[in-house]
């Protein structure tokens, strides 16, 4: 083969795209993680850890304490522990700059907003928790939709195929 000849390119290469990031779910520049993405991963991890702590506490009270309804306490604790998987997996994916992780992270924040609203309606110490949850959720949403974050994750808008 002479220096002028080149091997045939695949359709993905000829269109200017590589098959790697899209098939593996990683961002094109996986080595570079913007600060906003790091903060979003930290907030998602914080929410996941809070759910694990709350679920563990409710489960422990349900098993060892004397709740009004033991079955309801155990079920609630296990439910919170299972729900903690979503933000924890999203945090891990964001930390590793995985494209798929933004969806679960955004869903977690959107689901947290009605919970924060309900906590704000309480007339107890839960108001402080509602304020904290609302601030964390809105902050994480802003970080997740930030253009630097979407670029780092390799997410393009509708009609902007590479």
């Amino acid at each position: 083969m002479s220096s002028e000849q080149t091997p045939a390119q695949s359709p993905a290469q000829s269109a200017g795209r590589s098959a790697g990031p899209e098939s593996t779910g990683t961002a094109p520049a996986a080595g570079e993680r913007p600060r906003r993405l790091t903060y979003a991963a930290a907030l998602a991890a914080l929410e996941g850890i809070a759910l694990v702590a709350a679920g563990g506490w409710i489960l422990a009270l349900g098993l060892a304490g004397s709740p009004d309804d033991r079955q309801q306490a155990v079920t609630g604790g296990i439910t919170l522990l299972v729900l903690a998987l979503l933000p924890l997996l999203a945090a891990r994916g964001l930390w590793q700059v995985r494209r798929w992780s933004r969806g679960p992270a955004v869903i977690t924040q959107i689901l947290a907003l009605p919970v924060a609203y309900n906590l704000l309606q309480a007339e107890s110490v839960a108001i402080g928790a509602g304020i904290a949850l609302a601030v964390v959720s809105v902050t994480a949403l802003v970080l997740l939709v930030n253009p630097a974050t979407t670029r780092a994750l390799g997410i393009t808008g509708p009609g902007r195929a590479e």
Side-chain angles (χ1 to χ4, degrees), residues 88-119:
L88 291 174
L89 287 173
R92 183 172 186 257
L94 290 171
W95 183 260
Q96 294 176 343
V97 193
R98 303 281 190 224
R99 180 183 313 204
W100 60 263
S101 62
R102 192 178 96 153
V106 169
I107 289 168
T108 299
Q109 306 316 316
I110 290 172
L111 290 175
L113 290 173
V115 174
Y117 179 77
N118 283 334
L119 290 172

PDB file of all heavy atoms in Angstrom, residues 88-119:
ATOM      1  N   LEU A  88     -26.750   6.808  44.566  1.00  0.00           N
ATOM      2  CA  LEU A  88     -25.384   6.307  44.739  1.00  0.00           C
ATOM      3  C   LEU A  88     -24.794   5.828  43.412  1.00  0.00           C
ATOM      4  O   LEU A  88     -23.624   6.105  43.108  1.00  0.00           O
ATOM      5  CB  LEU A  88     -25.346   5.197  45.787  1.00  0.00           C
ATOM      6  CG  LEU A  88     -25.605   5.650  47.225  1.00  0.00           C
ATOM      7  CD1 LEU A  88     -25.690   4.454  48.167  1.00  0.00           C
ATOM      8  CD2 LEU A  88     -24.531   6.622  47.688  1.00  0.00           C
ATOM      9  N   LEU A  89     -25.584   5.118  42.615  1.00  0.00           N
ATOM     10  CA  LEU A  89     -25.110   4.705  41.294  1.00  0.00           C
ATOM     11  C   LEU A  89     -24.890   5.911  40.382  1.00  0.00           C
ATOM     12  O   LEU A  89     -23.925   5.956  39.613  1.00  0.00           O
ATOM     13  CB  LEU A  89     -26.095   3.729  40.658  1.00  0.00           C
ATOM     14  CG  LEU A  89     -26.123   2.324  41.254  1.00  0.00           C
ATOM     15  CD1 LEU A  89     -27.260   1.511  40.645  1.00  0.00           C
ATOM     16  CD2 LEU A  89     -24.796   1.627  41.044  1.00  0.00           C
ATOM     17  N   ALA A  90     -25.789   6.876  40.466  1.00  0.00           N
ATOM     18  CA  ALA A  90     -25.633   8.090  39.661  1.00  0.00           C
ATOM     19  C   ALA A  90     -24.369   8.846  40.072  1.00  0.00           C
ATOM     20  O   ALA A  90     -23.624   9.328  39.211  1.00  0.00           O
ATOM     21  CB  ALA A  90     -26.857   8.990  39.811  1.00  0.00           C
ATOM     22  N   ALA A  91     -24.107   8.936  41.363  1.00  0.00           N
ATOM     23  CA  ALA A  91     -22.908   9.626  41.843  1.00  0.00           C
ATOM     24  C   ALA A  91     -21.644   8.934  41.339  1.00  0.00           C
ATOM     25  O   ALA A  91     -20.686   9.582  40.903  1.00  0.00           O
ATOM     26  CB  ALA A  91     -22.907   9.684  43.370  1.00  0.00           C
ATOM     27  N   ARG A  92     -21.644   7.616  41.387  1.00  0.00           N
ATOM     28  CA  ARG A  92     -20.482   6.856  40.895  1.00  0.00           C
ATOM     29  C   ARG A  92     -20.284   7.092  39.399  1.00  0.00           C
ATOM     30  O   ARG A  92     -19.161   7.292  38.931  1.00  0.00           O
ATOM     31  CB  ARG A  92     -20.683   5.369  41.167  1.00  0.00           C
ATOM     32  CG  ARG A  92     -19.502   4.525  40.766  1.00  0.00           C
ATOM     33  CD  ARG A  92     -19.690   3.089  41.241  1.00  0.00           C
ATOM     34  NE  ARG A  92     -18.512   2.314  40.974  1.00  0.00           N
ATOM     35  CZ  ARG A  92     -18.409   1.442  39.976  1.00  0.00           C
ATOM     36  NH1 ARG A  92     -19.438   1.229  39.178  1.00  0.00           N
ATOM     37  NH2 ARG A  92     -17.295   0.775  39.786  1.00  0.00           N
ATOM     38  N   GLY A  93     -21.370   7.077  38.648  1.00  0.00           N
ATOM     39  CA  GLY A  93     -21.269   7.324  37.213  1.00  0.00           C
ATOM     40  C   GLY A  93     -20.811   8.738  36.900  1.00  0.00           C
ATOM     41  O   GLY A  93     -19.995   8.948  35.994  1.00  0.00           O
ATOM     42  N   LEU A  94     -21.309   9.714  37.630  1.00  0.00           N
ATOM     43  CA  LEU A  94     -20.880  11.093  37.413  1.00  0.00           C
ATOM     44  C   LEU A  94     -19.396  11.243  37.750  1.00  0.00           C
ATOM     45  O   LEU A  94     -18.653  11.934  37.048  1.00  0.00           O
ATOM     46  CB  LEU A  94     -21.713  12.061  38.265  1.00  0.00           C
ATOM     47  CG  LEU A  94     -23.166  12.242  37.851  1.00  0.00           C
ATOM     48  CD1 LEU A  94     -23.923  13.039  38.897  1.00  0.00           C
ATOM     49  CD2 LEU A  94     -23.270  12.890  36.488  1.00  0.00           C
ATOM     50  N   TRP A  95     -18.967  10.612  38.824  1.00  0.00           N
ATOM     51  CA  TRP A  95     -17.565  10.691  39.237  1.00  0.00           C
ATOM     52  C   TRP A  95     -16.661  10.080  38.156  1.00  0.00           C
ATOM     53  O   TRP A  95     -15.576  10.576  37.891  1.00  0.00           O
ATOM     54  CB  TRP A  95     -17.369   9.965  40.561  1.00  0.00           C
ATOM     55  CG  TRP A  95     -15.971  10.063  41.063  1.00  0.00           C
ATOM     56  CD1 TRP A  95     -14.994   9.126  40.965  1.00  0.00           C
ATOM     57  CD2 TRP A  95     -15.389  11.177  41.727  1.00  0.00           C
ATOM     58  NE1 TRP A  95     -13.841   9.585  41.524  1.00  0.00           N
ATOM     59  CE2 TRP A  95     -14.051  10.843  42.010  1.00  0.00           C
ATOM     60  CE3 TRP A  95     -15.876  12.426  42.115  1.00  0.00           C
ATOM     61  CZ2 TRP A  95     -13.186  11.721  42.653  1.00  0.00           C
ATOM     62  CZ3 TRP A  95     -15.005  13.292  42.763  1.00  0.00           C
ATOM     63  CH2 TRP A  95     -13.677  12.932  43.025  1.00  0.00           C
ATOM     64  N   GLN A  96     -17.146   9.018  37.524  1.00  0.00           N
ATOM     65  CA  GLN A  96     -16.369   8.355  36.476  1.00  0.00           C
ATOM     66  C   GLN A  96     -16.633   8.942  35.092  1.00  0.00           C
ATOM     67  O   GLN A  96     -16.165   8.417  34.095  1.00  0.00           O
ATOM     68  CB  GLN A  96     -16.686   6.859  36.464  1.00  0.00           C
ATOM     69  CG  GLN A  96     -16.234   6.155  37.713  1.00  0.00           C
ATOM     70  CD  GLN A  96     -16.640   4.691  37.727  1.00  0.00           C
ATOM     71  OE1 GLN A  96     -17.515   4.261  36.972  1.00  0.00           O
ATOM     72  NE2 GLN A  96     -16.004   3.932  38.590  1.00  0.00           N
ATOM     73  N   VAL A  97     -17.381  10.029  35.033  1.00  0.00           N
ATOM     74  CA  VAL A  97     -17.722  10.744  33.800  1.00  0.00           C
ATOM     75  C   VAL A  97     -18.382   9.791  32.797  1.00  0.00           C
ATOM     76  O   VAL A  97     -17.952   9.640  31.661  1.00  0.00           O
ATOM     77  CB  VAL A  97     -16.482  11.445  33.183  1.00  0.00           C
ATOM     78  CG1 VAL A  97     -16.913  12.431  32.101  1.00  0.00           C
ATOM     79  CG2 VAL A  97     -15.670  12.163  34.230  1.00  0.00           C
ATOM     80  N   ARG A  98     -19.440   9.157  33.239  1.00  0.00           N
ATOM     81  CA  ARG A  98     -20.218   8.255  32.387  1.00  0.00           C
ATOM     82  C   ARG A  98     -21.464   8.987  31.901  1.00  0.00           C
ATOM     83  O   ARG A  98     -22.194   9.582  32.693  1.00  0.00           O
ATOM     84  CB  ARG A  98     -20.652   7.002  33.156  1.00  0.00           C
ATOM     85  CG  ARG A  98     -19.511   6.239  33.733  1.00  0.00           C
ATOM     86  CD  ARG A  98     -18.860   5.410  32.666  1.00  0.00           C
ATOM     87  NE  ARG A  98     -17.912   4.513  33.285  1.00  0.00           N
ATOM     88  CZ  ARG A  98     -16.701   4.297  32.814  1.00  0.00           C
ATOM     89  NH1 ARG A  98     -16.308   4.908  31.732  1.00  0.00           N
ATOM     90  NH2 ARG A  98     -15.894   3.468  33.420  1.00  0.00           N
ATOM     91  N   ARG A  99     -21.705   8.906  30.620  1.00  0.00           N
ATOM     92  CA  ARG A  99     -22.826   9.625  29.994  1.00  0.00           C
ATOM     93  C   ARG A  99     -24.175   9.208  30.588  1.00  0.00           C
ATOM     94  O   ARG A  99     -25.057  10.033  30.787  1.00  0.00           O
ATOM     95  CB  ARG A  99     -22.801   9.351  28.499  1.00  0.00           C
ATOM     96  CG  ARG A  99     -23.896  10.024  27.739  1.00  0.00           C
ATOM     97  CD  ARG A  99     -23.854   9.653  26.305  1.00  0.00           C
ATOM     98  NE  ARG A  99     -22.482   9.766  25.826  1.00  0.00           N
ATOM     99  CZ  ARG A  99     -22.154   9.964  24.568  1.00  0.00           C
ATOM    100  NH1 ARG A  99     -23.080  10.052  23.664  1.00  0.00           N
ATOM    101  NH2 ARG A  99     -20.903  10.067  24.209  1.00  0.00           N
ATOM    102  N   TRP A 100     -24.388   7.928  30.853  1.00  0.00           N
ATOM    103  CA  TRP A 100     -25.664   7.408  31.323  1.00  0.00           C
ATOM    104  C   TRP A 100     -26.037   7.944  32.704  1.00  0.00           C
ATOM    105  O   TRP A 100     -27.193   7.903  33.079  1.00  0.00           O
ATOM    106  CB  TRP A 100     -25.640   5.877  31.383  1.00  0.00           C
ATOM    107  CG  TRP A 100     -24.585   5.323  32.295  1.00  0.00           C
ATOM    108  CD1 TRP A 100     -23.354   4.873  31.927  1.00  0.00           C
ATOM    109  CD2 TRP A 100     -24.654   5.168  33.716  1.00  0.00           C
ATOM    110  NE1 TRP A 100     -22.644   4.453  33.036  1.00  0.00           N
ATOM    111  CE2 TRP A 100     -23.419   4.623  34.142  1.00  0.00           C
ATOM    112  CE3 TRP A 100     -25.629   5.440  34.674  1.00  0.00           C
ATOM    113  CZ2 TRP A 100     -23.142   4.344  35.473  1.00  0.00           C
ATOM    114  CZ3 TRP A 100     -25.335   5.162  36.000  1.00  0.00           C
ATOM    115  CH2 TRP A 100     -24.119   4.626  36.387  1.00  0.00           C
ATOM    116  N   SER A 101     -25.081   8.432  33.459  1.00  0.00           N
ATOM    117  CA  SER A 101     -25.334   8.785  34.858  1.00  0.00           C
ATOM    118  C   SER A 101     -26.146  10.065  35.051  1.00  0.00           C
ATOM    119  O   SER A 101     -26.746  10.269  36.100  1.00  0.00           O
ATOM    120  CB  SER A 101     -24.016   8.908  35.611  1.00  0.00           C
ATOM    121  OG  SER A 101     -23.224   9.936  35.049  1.00  0.00           O
ATOM    122  N   ARG A 102     -26.181  10.916  34.049  1.00  0.00           N
ATOM    123  CA  ARG A 102     -26.916  12.169  34.219  1.00  0.00           C
ATOM    124  C   ARG A 102     -28.415  11.938  34.356  1.00  0.00           C
ATOM    125  O   ARG A 102     -29.089  12.595  35.149  1.00  0.00           O
ATOM    126  CB  ARG A 102     -26.643  13.132  33.077  1.00  0.00           C
ATOM    127  CG  ARG A 102     -27.183  14.535  33.414  1.00  0.00           C
ATOM    128  CD  ARG A 102     -26.880  15.496  32.339  1.00  0.00           C
ATOM    129  NE  ARG A 102     -28.039  15.583  31.457  1.00  0.00           N
ATOM    130  CZ  ARG A 102     -28.323  16.642  30.748  1.00  0.00           C
ATOM    131  NH1 ARG A 102     -27.536  17.683  30.756  1.00  0.00           N
ATOM    132  NH2 ARG A 102     -29.387  16.639  29.981  1.00  0.00           N
ATOM    133  N   GLY A 103     -28.971  10.985  33.612  1.00  0.00           N
ATOM    134  CA  GLY A 103     -30.406  10.704  33.688  1.00  0.00           C
ATOM    135  C   GLY A 103     -30.854  10.314  35.091  1.00  0.00           C
ATOM    136  O   GLY A 103     -31.751  10.946  35.661  1.00  0.00           O
ATOM    137  N   PRO A 104     -30.234   9.286  35.701  1.00  0.00           N
ATOM    138  CA  PRO A 104     -30.622   8.929  37.072  1.00  0.00           C
ATOM    139  C   PRO A 104     -30.393  10.063  38.072  1.00  0.00           C
ATOM    140  O   PRO A 104     -31.163  10.228  39.014  1.00  0.00           O
ATOM    141  CB  PRO A 104     -29.742   7.730  37.403  1.00  0.00           C
ATOM    142  CG  PRO A 104     -29.346   7.159  36.101  1.00  0.00           C
ATOM    143  CD  PRO A 104     -29.312   8.312  35.131  1.00  0.00           C
ATOM    144  N   ALA A 105     -29.337  10.852  37.850  1.00  0.00           N
ATOM    145  CA  ALA A 105     -29.069  11.964  38.763  1.00  0.00           C
ATOM    146  C   ALA A 105     -30.166  13.025  38.669  1.00  0.00           C
ATOM    147  O   ALA A 105     -30.642  13.537  39.692  1.00  0.00           O
ATOM    148  CB  ALA A 105     -27.700  12.573  38.467  1.00  0.00           C
ATOM    149  N   VAL A 106     -30.589  13.343  37.452  1.00  0.00           N
ATOM    150  CA  VAL A 106     -31.656  14.340  37.264  1.00  0.00           C
ATOM    151  C   VAL A 106     -32.976  13.811  37.830  1.00  0.00           C
ATOM    152  O   VAL A 106     -33.708  14.543  38.514  1.00  0.00           O
ATOM    153  CB  VAL A 106     -31.789  14.719  35.772  1.00  0.00           C
ATOM    154  CG1 VAL A 106     -33.045  15.526  35.508  1.00  0.00           C
ATOM    155  CG2 VAL A 106     -30.568  15.498  35.325  1.00  0.00           C
ATOM    156  N   ILE A 107     -33.274  12.546  37.579  1.00  0.00           N
ATOM    157  CA  ILE A 107     -34.506  11.951  38.112  1.00  0.00           C
ATOM    158  C   ILE A 107     -34.512  12.003  39.637  1.00  0.00           C
ATOM    159  O   ILE A 107     -35.535  12.331  40.252  1.00  0.00           O
ATOM    160  CB  ILE A 107     -34.659  10.503  37.607  1.00  0.00           C
ATOM    161  CG1 ILE A 107     -35.002  10.512  36.116  1.00  0.00           C
ATOM    162  CG2 ILE A 107     -35.722   9.746  38.389  1.00  0.00           C
ATOM    163  CD1 ILE A 107     -34.901   9.158  35.455  1.00  0.00           C
ATOM    164  N   THR A 108     -33.367  11.713  40.247  1.00  0.00           N
ATOM    165  CA  THR A 108     -33.274  11.770  41.712  1.00  0.00           C
ATOM    166  C   THR A 108     -33.603  13.169  42.223  1.00  0.00           C
ATOM    167  O   THR A 108     -34.346  13.327  43.199  1.00  0.00           O
ATOM    168  CB  THR A 108     -31.856  11.366  42.166  1.00  0.00           C
ATOM    169  OG1 THR A 108     -31.601  10.033  41.746  1.00  0.00           O
ATOM    170  CG2 THR A 108     -31.710  11.464  43.663  1.00  0.00           C
ATOM    171  N   GLN A 109     -33.069  14.182  41.559  1.00  0.00           N
ATOM    172  CA  GLN A 109     -33.306  15.562  42.018  1.00  0.00           C
ATOM    173  C   GLN A 109     -34.759  15.966  41.826  1.00  0.00           C
ATOM    174  O   GLN A 109     -35.348  16.626  42.682  1.00  0.00           O
ATOM    175  CB  GLN A 109     -32.384  16.537  41.275  1.00  0.00           C
ATOM    176  CG  GLN A 109     -30.917  16.200  41.335  1.00  0.00           C
ATOM    177  CD  GLN A 109     -30.441  15.786  42.707  1.00  0.00           C
ATOM    178  OE1 GLN A 109     -30.784  16.388  43.715  1.00  0.00           O
ATOM    179  NE2 GLN A 109     -29.640  14.740  42.756  1.00  0.00           N
ATOM    180  N   ILE A 110     -35.345  15.555  40.707  1.00  0.00           N
ATOM    181  CA  ILE A 110     -36.749  15.896  40.455  1.00  0.00           C
ATOM    182  C   ILE A 110     -37.658  15.209  41.478  1.00  0.00           C
ATOM    183  O   ILE A 110     -38.630  15.805  41.962  1.00  0.00           O
ATOM    184  CB  ILE A 110     -37.134  15.544  39.008  1.00  0.00           C
ATOM    185  CG1 ILE A 110     -36.417  16.504  38.056  1.00  0.00           C
ATOM    186  CG2 ILE A 110     -38.637  15.596  38.797  1.00  0.00           C
ATOM    187  CD1 ILE A 110     -36.548  16.145  36.586  1.00  0.00           C
ATOM    188  N   LEU A 111     -37.340  13.960  41.829  1.00  0.00           N
ATOM    189  CA  LEU A 111     -38.138  13.257  42.845  1.00  0.00           C
ATOM    190  C   LEU A 111     -37.936  13.841  44.242  1.00  0.00           C
ATOM    191  O   LEU A 111     -38.824  13.738  45.091  1.00  0.00           O
ATOM    192  CB  LEU A 111     -37.778  11.769  42.845  1.00  0.00           C
ATOM    193  CG  LEU A 111     -38.228  10.974  41.630  1.00  0.00           C
ATOM    194  CD1 LEU A 111     -37.693   9.544  41.712  1.00  0.00           C
ATOM    195  CD2 LEU A 111     -39.732  10.969  41.504  1.00  0.00           C
ATOM    196  N   ALA A 112     -36.786  14.444  44.484  1.00  0.00           N
ATOM    197  CA  ALA A 112     -36.518  15.008  45.802  1.00  0.00           C
ATOM    198  C   ALA A 112     -37.286  16.311  46.049  1.00  0.00           C
ATOM    199  O   ALA A 112     -37.575  16.648  47.204  1.00  0.00           O
ATOM    200  CB  ALA A 112     -35.019  15.247  45.974  1.00  0.00           C
ATOM    201  N   LEU A 113     -37.639  17.021  44.996  1.00  0.00           N
ATOM    202  CA  LEU A 113     -38.320  18.313  45.179  1.00  0.00           C
ATOM    203  C   LEU A 113     -39.699  18.179  45.838  1.00  0.00           C
ATOM    204  O   LEU A 113     -40.006  18.944  46.768  1.00  0.00           O
ATOM    205  CB  LEU A 113     -38.400  19.064  43.848  1.00  0.00           C
ATOM    206  CG  LEU A 113     -37.045  19.588  43.349  1.00  0.00           C
ATOM    207  CD1 LEU A 113     -37.193  20.164  41.942  1.00  0.00           C
ATOM    208  CD2 LEU A 113     -36.481  20.618  44.306  1.00  0.00           C
ATOM    209  N   PRO A 114     -40.570  17.249  45.437  1.00  0.00           N
ATOM    210  CA  PRO A 114     -41.839  17.102  46.156  1.00  0.00           C
ATOM    211  C   PRO A 114     -41.647  16.637  47.609  1.00  0.00           C
ATOM    212  O   PRO A 114     -42.413  17.026  48.486  1.00  0.00           O
ATOM    213  CB  PRO A 114     -42.609  16.047  45.354  1.00  0.00           C
ATOM    214  CG  PRO A 114     -41.972  16.001  44.028  1.00  0.00           C
ATOM    215  CD  PRO A 114     -40.559  16.418  44.219  1.00  0.00           C
ATOM    216  N   VAL A 115     -40.622  15.837  47.833  1.00  0.00           N
ATOM    217  CA  VAL A 115     -40.326  15.408  49.215  1.00  0.00           C
ATOM    218  C   VAL A 115     -39.942  16.627  50.044  1.00  0.00           C
ATOM    219  O   VAL A 115     -40.406  16.791  51.179  1.00  0.00           O
ATOM    220  CB  VAL A 115     -39.211  14.341  49.240  1.00  0.00           C
ATOM    221  CG1 VAL A 115     -38.810  14.008  50.666  1.00  0.00           C
ATOM    222  CG2 VAL A 115     -39.656  13.080  48.499  1.00  0.00           C
ATOM    223  N   ALA A 116     -39.114  17.498  49.481  1.00  0.00           N
ATOM    224  CA  ALA A 116     -38.726  18.718  50.184  1.00  0.00           C
ATOM    225  C   ALA A 116     -39.947  19.593  50.463  1.00  0.00           C
ATOM    226  O   ALA A 116     -40.088  20.152  51.559  1.00  0.00           O
ATOM    227  CB  ALA A 116     -37.695  19.489  49.357  1.00  0.00           C
ATOM    228  N   TYR A 117     -40.839  19.690  49.494  1.00  0.00           N
ATOM    229  CA  TYR A 117     -42.061  20.486  49.682  1.00  0.00           C
ATOM    230  C   TYR A 117     -42.897  19.924  50.834  1.00  0.00           C
ATOM    231  O   TYR A 117     -43.407  20.676  51.670  1.00  0.00           O
ATOM    232  CB  TYR A 117     -42.871  20.521  48.382  1.00  0.00           C
ATOM    233  CG  TYR A 117     -44.152  21.291  48.511  1.00  0.00           C
ATOM    234  CD1 TYR A 117     -44.154  22.680  48.511  1.00  0.00           C
ATOM    235  CD2 TYR A 117     -45.374  20.623  48.666  1.00  0.00           C
ATOM    236  CE1 TYR A 117     -45.339  23.388  48.647  1.00  0.00           C
ATOM    237  CE2 TYR A 117     -46.553  21.318  48.801  1.00  0.00           C
ATOM    238  CZ  TYR A 117     -46.538  22.705  48.791  1.00  0.00           C
ATOM    239  OH  TYR A 117     -47.708  23.390  48.936  1.00  0.00           O
ATOM    240  N   ASN A 118     -43.066  18.604  50.879  1.00  0.00           N
ATOM    241  CA  ASN A 118     -43.834  17.988  51.967  1.00  0.00           C
ATOM    242  C   ASN A 118     -43.165  18.212  53.315  1.00  0.00           C
ATOM    243  O   ASN A 118     -43.850  18.430  54.317  1.00  0.00           O
ATOM    244  CB  ASN A 118     -44.022  16.492  51.723  1.00  0.00           C
ATOM    245  CG  ASN A 118     -45.088  16.221  50.690  1.00  0.00           C
ATOM    246  OD1 ASN A 118     -45.993  17.029  50.495  1.00  0.00           O
ATOM    247  ND2 ASN A 118     -44.976  15.101  50.009  1.00  0.00           N
ATOM    248  N   LEU A 119     -41.839  18.163  53.354  1.00  0.00           N
ATOM    249  CA  LEU A 119     -41.138  18.431  54.609  1.00  0.00           C
ATOM    250  C   LEU A 119     -41.320  19.875  55.039  1.00  0.00           C
ATOM    251  O   LEU A 119     -41.393  20.171  56.236  1.00  0.00           O
ATOM    252  CB  LEU A 119     -39.643  18.103  54.462  1.00  0.00           C
ATOM    253  CG  LEU A 119     -39.286  16.629  54.347  1.00  0.00           C
ATOM    254  CD1 LEU A 119     -37.809  16.459  54.014  1.00  0.00           C
ATOM    255  CD2 LEU A 119     -39.637  15.878  55.623  1.00  0.00           C
TER     256      LEU A 119
END
